[in-house]
Amino acid sequence: MPSYTAPVEDMMFLYEKLRNNKNYNELEKYKEVSSDLVRDILEEAAKINQNIILPLAKAGDENPTVLENGVVRTPPGYKEAYQKYIEDGWTSLSCDPKYGGQGMPKTVSAFFDEMLSSASLSFKLYSELSIGAYNCINHHASDEMKNKYLPKIVEGKWSGTMCLTEPVCGTDLGLLKTKAVEQDNGTYKISGQKIFITSGDHDLTENIIHLVLARVSDSPAGTKGISLFLVPKFIVKEDGSVGQRNGISTGSIESKMGIKGSATCVLNFDEAEGYMIGQKDKGLNAMFTMMNLERIVVGIQGLGISEIAYQNSLAYAKERKQGKTNNTKSTNGADFIIEHADIRRSLLNMKSIIEGERALCFWLSQQTEVSLYHEDKSIKQKALNYVSLMTPVVKSLFTDLGMEITNDAMQIFGGYGYTKDQGIEQLYRDNRITPIYEGTNSVQAADLVFRKLVNKNGDIIDDYLKMIEEECPSSDTKIKPFVEDLKNSLADLKEFTSWIKDKIKNQKDDASAACNDYLKALGYVSVAFAWIKVLEVSFRDYDENKKFHEEKIQTAEFYFNRVLPRAESHFKSVKTGSDYIMKFNFN
């Protein structure tokens, strides 16, 4: 089983040293959230993840969730761990105190999401979708519905799902067939089948609150005719207690490559009682509240799995002997593989990407809070623009690089990495879903290029790139080489942006064939921007903690020399166009 130590020191470095975001610091909501409180939370989070949840990863992989006589049973140890999890209040961390939450900011809850992803992604998914359901209900449901359902979700006694995908539609939700028939009492009868429903059924909670997309009988075809419904597994009585079983059954559980401890279900809705959330035919907009936040969290899943893969690769490299290095001083035997240049390159590649991603995620968490709670509407909108722009980037880049990092981890372990004994191949398998669910990464890239760069809110990408340029420090000579590298990459990205804007107007196939490359180029530059913020602190406060800051500087040096140049290569490859792609005959 892989070992894991939560990177609390690095997280606290970000929380304490990178909080110089003026707009974020103006939020009254979090004035009383002190560094001491955050450290206490993260240290307690580390304990439950390292000691209780980490062992569940292997248990869930070896003893997957099963469906027996209509009942879904989670792996051994899940029930006990989940009970401890909710007793300690982890489901309520970022929820509104009005409903029993602790009211912690995303800058804190994102760190917890990363730890939980490192420890056991399968276990995490049971509570993760509940928070997504909480956010959607909190933003779009009536006060009556909020008061009825949210306290139990926040407490963790009830869980939540989102039910979008059907056999006939995945990305193209306009094709969905699930029907909603209005009743005389204002409720709806929901009928249809949903597939690939994460945590769709299980034995961890008293009730499961499904958020279901369906089409009312008289609604138009396509995405304009979709409404959102709250459909509980068990009907909730007027006094808030759980009543009779609703018309929902589990048809099967998917047998999957990874995350085997997570119940991915086929759900059948047979005239199940449901209640409309928000306005009729506006369900897709409401559901996107849940989906957009979930996409950022999926990116954090890739980061979390990358972190545990790196930690175990580093430990293994320090104890495994193989071959002799170019500078060996030993006269017999072999050297530790960490002394080999290529292994060191691979480890630094992991480390530089992971720490850069974590810093970017912290910046994005600040922007998320500003977009939700700042009093100035223009500041709020600008932050929301940045969050919308970066959501597909974080979701896609972090998960794609998670595949690269878990693959490299297996390579460092060699044959042992390919066997089940070390648990490294499980990290690869568990992470493989992250580039797929919540919208495949290619769909994310298309969304970025065709909808997020320029839209009704303005030229978002131009504002974002200007912001990066303006926030690059110019006075410190030590940081100057890094800033110059970033500015060179920024110039390339600006040229790439102009090229892709032109292709959207004149040659859409060229733009479509370039979407993934553009997303990665933007992602690598954004991570470099996050590294610049880290470097500002590391050079400024160098003497406070020389070892820590020197390591940061050296890690950043690898990123700027070996990872950031990838951005340029993506632009070079797409400039060849798409004619030779579209004309190819696959017959």
Side-chain angles (χ1 to χ4, degrees):
M1 184 180 79
S3 60
Y4 173 65
T5 301
V8 174
E9 184 183 12
D10 196 45
M11 292 172 174
M12 286 306 303
F13 164 76
L14 295 175
Y15 189 82
E16 292 177 340
K17 300 295 188 179
L18 267 69
R19 288 183 65 193
N20 58 342
N21 183 310
K22 177 179 177 292
N23 296 332
Y24 177 77
N25 290 332
E26 288 173 348
L27 300 179
E28 290 294 328
K29 187 178 177 69
Y30 302 119
K31 293 285 188 184
E32 296 181 5
V33 180
S34 67
S35 292
D36 287 343
L37 174 59
V38 173
R39 182 176 289 277
D40 287 344
I41 290 171
L42 295 184
E43 287 177 350
E44 287 303 311
K47 289 176 186 176
I48 191 170
N49 279 290
Q50 292 164 189
N51 301 327
I52 295 177
I53 297 173
L54 180 62
L56 299 180
K58 185 176 182 181
D61 195 57
E62 294 179 345
N63 301 280
T65 303
V66 295
L67 176 62
E68 296 177 341
N69 301 318
V71 178
V72 175
R73 304 192 188 282
T74 50
Y78 269 51
K79 275 187 176 182
E80 296 79 4
Y82 186 79
Q83 191 58 38
K84 171 68 173 169
Y85 183 83
I86 65 172
E87 284 175 359
D88 288 356
W90 293 112
T91 52
S92 69
L93 188 62
S94 62
C95 299
D96 193 330
K98 181 179 180 181
Y99 303 108
Q102 298 176 53
M104 287 296 108
K106 298 285 187 297
T107 48
V108 177
S109 64
F111 291 147
F112 181 69
D113 280 331
E114 183 195 325
M115 288 187 199
L116 200 51
S117 300
S118 293
S120 173
L121 181 54
S122 288
F123 180 82
K124 181 184 195 292
L125 291 170
Y126 288 102
S127 60
E128 179 176 308
L129 273 295
S130 298
I131 298 303
Y134 161 86
N135 285 320
C136 187
I137 294 168
N138 195 30
H139 278 83
H140 299 287
S142 64
D143 288 340
E144 180 185 2
M145 196 176 286
K146 292 177 189 178
N147 293 329
K148 190 172 186 177
Y149 292 96
L150 291 186
K152 288 289 188 180
I153 293 176
V154 170
E155 188 182 3
K157 294 290 182 69
W158 297 353
S159 59
T161 73
M162 56 179 180
C163 302
L164 293 80
T165 307
E166 300 181 7
V168 296
C169 67
T171 301
D172 190 356
L173 290 169
L175 299 174
L176 69 77
K177 302 294 185 184
T178 300
K179 296 179 180 179
V181 179
E182 188 171 7
Q183 305 301 296
D184 293 338
N185 62 359
T187 65
Y188 289 79
K189 293 294 184 184
I190 310 297
S191 299
Q193 186 181 75
K194 297 291 183 177
I195 64 171
F196 300 153
I197 307 305
T198 302
S199 309
D201 199 6
H202 53 81
D203 56 2
L204 299 180
T205 58
E206 298 170 356
N207 204 355
I208 302 174
I209 310 305
H210 302 289
L211 298 188
V212 183
L213 290 180
R215 196 183 310 278
V216 180
S217 308
D218 60 351
S219 291
T223 56
K224 293 182 179 179
I226 297 174
S227 298
L228 177 63
F229 300 89
L230 187 154
V231 189
K233 178 179 177 179
F234 293 97
I235 301 296
V236 179
K237 298 178 183 178
E238 288 301 317
D239 63 1
S241 62
V242 173
Q244 66 182 15
R245 180 76 182 251
N246 207 350
I248 307 168
S249 60
T250 302
S252 62
I253 296 177
E254 301 295 348
S255 178
K256 309 184 295 293
M257 175 183 182
I259 57 167
K260 295 182 178 182
S262 170
T264 307
C265 301
V266 174
L267 295 182
N268 297 313
F269 295 82
D270 301 304
E271 294 195 338
E273 186 171 302
Y275 321 103
M276 186 179 288
I277 294 178
Q279 297 179 9
K280 181 181 176 183
D281 300 336
K282 300 294 183 182
L284 205 54
N285 292 337
M287 184 65 93
F288 269 112
T289 298
M290 187 175 184
M291 290 175 67
N292 285 335
L293 291 170
E294 187 61 27
R295 283 169 178 166
I296 294 173
V297 175
V298 171
I300 295 172
Q301 292 174 12
L303 168 59
I305 292 177
S306 296
E307 173 66 32
I308 189 172
Y310 166 69
Q311 287 188 18
N312 284 270
S313 298
L314 178 61
Y316 184 77
K318 288 179 177 179
E319 65 183 29
R320 171 69 169 174
K321 287 186 174 182
Q322 194 79 18
K324 292 187 182 243
T325 66
N326 295 327
N327 301 309
T328 186
K329 294 180 181 179
S330 63
T331 55
N332 51 39
D335 292 321
F336 292 109
I337 63 173
I338 197 169
E339 299 302 329
H340 290 274
D342 189 61
I343 297 293
R344 297 175 75 84
R345 176 203 58 79
S346 186
L347 290 169
L348 270 171
N349 185 64
M350 295 179 186
K351 182 177 173 63
S352 71
I353 288 170
I354 290 166
E355 292 183 12
E357 287 179 345
R358 186 176 295 126
L360 177 60
C361 187
F362 183 78
W363 177 87
L364 186 61
S365 298
Q366 290 179 312
Q367 298 300 321
T368 301
E369 294 293 351
V370 172
S371 75
L372 292 170
Y373 302 115
H374 204 281
E375 293 182 357
D376 187 314
K377 288 185 179 180
S378 62
I379 291 174
K380 198 173 182 179
Q381 183 60 54
K382 179 167 280 194
L384 181 59
N385 291 342
Y386 291 159
V387 173
S388 297
L389 179 74
M390 294 309 296
T391 293
V393 175
V394 166
K395 193 279 182 186
S396 297
L397 187 74
F398 287 21
T399 57
D400 278 344
L401 291 177
M403 292 314 305
E404 175 183 321
I405 287 169
T406 51
N407 181 66
D408 284 353
M410 286 181 67
Q411 199 69 21
I412 287 173
F413 273 80
Y416 290 113
Y418 191 68
T419 66
K420 289 185 176 290
D421 297 341
Q422 303 293 330
I424 302 304
E425 56 84 36
Q426 185 190 339
L427 297 177
Y428 181 91
R429 288 187 290 107
D430 282 353
N431 190 73
R432 189 59 189 88
I433 187 59
T434 63
I436 298 173
Y437 62 13
E438 297 306 327
T440 65
N441 284 0
S442 289
V443 169
Q444 298 299 314
D447 177 58
L448 170 70
V449 167
F450 290 105
R451 297 180 61 204
K452 299 295 176 63
L453 300 183
V454 180
N455 55 37
K456 64 180 182 180
N457 294 314
D459 194 327
I460 312 302
I461 186 63
D462 186 54
D463 288 344
Y464 177 72
L465 298 181
K466 282 181 180 176
M467 180 273 295
I468 291 179
E469 203 162 30
E470 289 169 0
E471 293 199 13
C472 283
S474 56
S475 57
D476 193 330
T477 55
K478 293 178 182 177
I479 204 173
K480 188 175 180 181
F482 298 96
V483 171
E484 288 302 315
D485 284 345
L486 175 56
K487 286 186 174 179
N488 289 337
S489 293
L490 207 54
D492 289 339
L493 183 57
K494 285 180 179 179
E495 187 181 348
F496 196 171
T497 302
S498 296
W499 181 90
I500 210 157
K501 284 178 180 177
D502 179 66
K503 294 299 181 181
I504 289 171
K505 295 176 184 176
N506 302 312
Q507 179 52 273
K508 283 196 173 181
D509 280 342
D510 281 2
S512 293
C515 286
N516 272 293
D517 291 280
Y518 184 83
L519 183 146
K520 286 184 172 61
L522 175 57
Y524 288 129
V525 169
S526 298
V527 172
F529 168 58
W531 263 118
I532 290 293
K533 290 188 168 293
V534 171
L535 286 167
E536 280 187 87
V537 176
S538 293
F539 283 121
R540 185 193 70 206
D541 300 341
Y542 184 83
D543 291 335
E544 286 183 11
N545 190 343
K546 290 183 179 180
K547 183 178 182 298
F548 181 88
H549 292 303
E550 182 60 34
E551 189 174 296
K552 283 291 183 189
I553 294 165
Q554 291 180 359
T555 306
E557 189 174 11
F558 182 93
Y559 184 87
F560 280 81
N561 287 334
R562 287 293 189 116
V563 182
L564 182 57
R566 298 183 190 184
E568 181 185 7
S569 67
H570 283 291
F571 185 30
K572 281 185 176 180
S573 68
V574 302
K575 284 194 287 188
T576 58
S578 64
D579 282 351
Y580 61 97
I581 298 171
M582 303 310 294
K583 290 178 180 178
F584 188 85
N585 188 348
F586 284 99
N587 293 330

